[in-house]
Amino acid sequence: SLIHLNHLSSHTTALSKLVVHPIRAMPPKAPAAKRAPSNPAKAKAPAKATAKAPAKAAAPAKAAPAAAPPAVSAEEEAKKAEEEAKAKAEEEAAAAKKAEEERQQKEAAEAEVKRLQALANGDVTIKYNMYDEKFKIENYTLTAAAIDEVYCLSDVMPGCYIHLGDKEFGYGEEQVYLKEDPPGTFRGLMAGETYWCYVQQDPEQEKQDQEAMRKKYEGVVVGGGIGDRGSEVETCSCGWGAPCTNAMICKDWDNRFANALKAGGNPILFTNT
């Protein structure tokens, strides 16, 4: 045992004599550079950026329900019903008034036409200077030959032209004669009336007189006497033998039938005017 202790002692002495040197830290190795690929085509393409889908737009907010209308009171409803009833009554009254006016106008027109129809045949008075004789008319017509036969005007004034007027013209007044169709046949005379006879001896003046009558009675007369109402929208048609149907246009509304008759109109055809 003594030997063993001596041996341990010698080892201890030897270890104490050893010099301890500090251990140096080794620097870290640099990372090895990556090797470039031998085939560039096989090189990895850069990763594609993933596009994010756009976010959905938020749905619009629902509109708030409309507020309910305020309740109508019973008083307001009654007032509204009363106003509607009043308006309806006024409308019906206006329609009834218009219908009555039209009925009266139609009755008056029919009565006037009947009156004129009764004047188609009878006696008329023809005045010329001191002459004042009665002549028979038939269907509102008289001829210059019938007047000349009584007054012998062509015996005193050979080749003269006889005309009639519904008034006695004053000195210098334009003489507008009654319608002649054809010349020398007077139209639109009415029994019981008085007409004035005028004699023209100048052929040139006669041409002018005939032209004046033509212009005055230029409306086409058709159907046995009723005039053409084609332009009544612009002017009175009574002078063409067609009684006006519009009082705003007619020159003499109250006498439209008589004036149309004087222009050669046939009152038998006036009943629809």
Side-chain angles (χ1 to χ4, degrees):
S1 61
L2 183 57
I3 297 171
H4 184 63
L5 291 172
N6 291 332
H7 183 68
L8 289 173
S9 176
S10 61
H11 274 286
T12 302
T13 305
L15 288 171
S16 62
K17 291 180 179 181
L18 291 174
V19 177
V20 179
H21 297 279
I23 300 173
R24 288 184 181 177
M26 297 295 292
K29 291 183 178 180
K34 291 186 179 180
R35 188 177 179 182
S38 59
N39 188 356
K42 292 183 180 180
K44 280 187 178 183
K48 291 182 180 181
T50 304
K52 292 184 179 180
K56 291 183 179 180
K62 292 183 178 179
V72 180
S73 66
E75 182 179 352
E76 291 176 342
E77 289 182 352
K79 183 179 180 181
K80 182 179 179 181
E82 182 181 353
E83 291 176 350
E84 291 177 350
K86 182 180 179 181
K88 184 178 180 180
E90 291 176 350
E91 183 178 352
E92 292 176 350
K97 181 181 179 181
K98 182 179 179 181
E100 177 62 18
E101 290 176 350
E102 291 177 351
R103 184 190 66 79
Q104 293 179 0
Q105 180 177 334
K106 183 178 180 181
E107 288 183 354
E110 291 175 350
E112 176 65 5
V113 168
K114 288 180 180 180
R115 185 186 74 82
L116 294 175
Q117 289 175 346
L119 303 177
N121 304 293
D123 293 336
V124 296
T125 300
I126 304 298
K127 289 188 174 185
Y128 179 74
N129 291 336
M130 75 287 294
Y131 298 117
D132 188 358
E133 300 293 334
K134 293 188 181 301
F135 293 82
K136 292 286 184 182
I137 63 170
E138 293 183 5
N139 193 26
Y140 312 100
T141 303
L142 179 65
T143 64
I147 298 173
D148 189 35
E149 185 177 352
V150 175
Y151 289 165
C152 302
L153 298 173
S154 62
D155 293 342
V156 179
M157 297 170 284
C160 68
Y161 306 94
I162 298 174
H163 303 296
L164 290 182
D166 57 2
K167 60 176 289 187
E168 184 175 12
F169 299 113
Y171 178 78
E173 183 180 358
E174 181 184 4
Q175 298 182 353
V176 181
Y177 304 127
L178 296 182
K179 182 180 178 66
E180 299 178 24
D181 185 20
T185 299
F186 309 111
R187 304 287 183 179
L189 278 66
M190 290 179 279
E193 296 293 329
T194 298
Y195 302 94
W196 282 259
C197 177
Y198 297 92
V199 179
Q200 180 57 253
Q201 294 180 274
D202 184 356
E204 290 301 321
Q205 183 61 46
E206 175 62 16
K207 290 181 181 179
Q208 296 179 23
D209 292 341
Q210 288 293 338
E211 179 63 17
M213 284 190 286
R214 186 191 68 79
K215 289 182 178 179
K216 179 180 179 182
Y217 306 109
E218 63 184 349
V220 179
V221 177
V222 296
I226 190 167
D228 178 14
R229 190 178 286 107
S231 62
E232 187 191 358
V233 294
E234 299 176 358
T235 185
C236 176
S237 63
C238 297
W240 300 349
C244 285
T245 58
N246 187 340
M248 300 298 293
I249 296 175
C250 188
K251 296 178 180 178
D252 187 3
W253 178 252
D254 293 338
N255 297 306
R256 62 191 183 281
F257 296 109
N259 292 335
L261 191 150
K262 292 177 183 178
N266 188 344
I268 296 176
L269 305 175
F270 291 173
T271 53
N272 294 326
T273 62

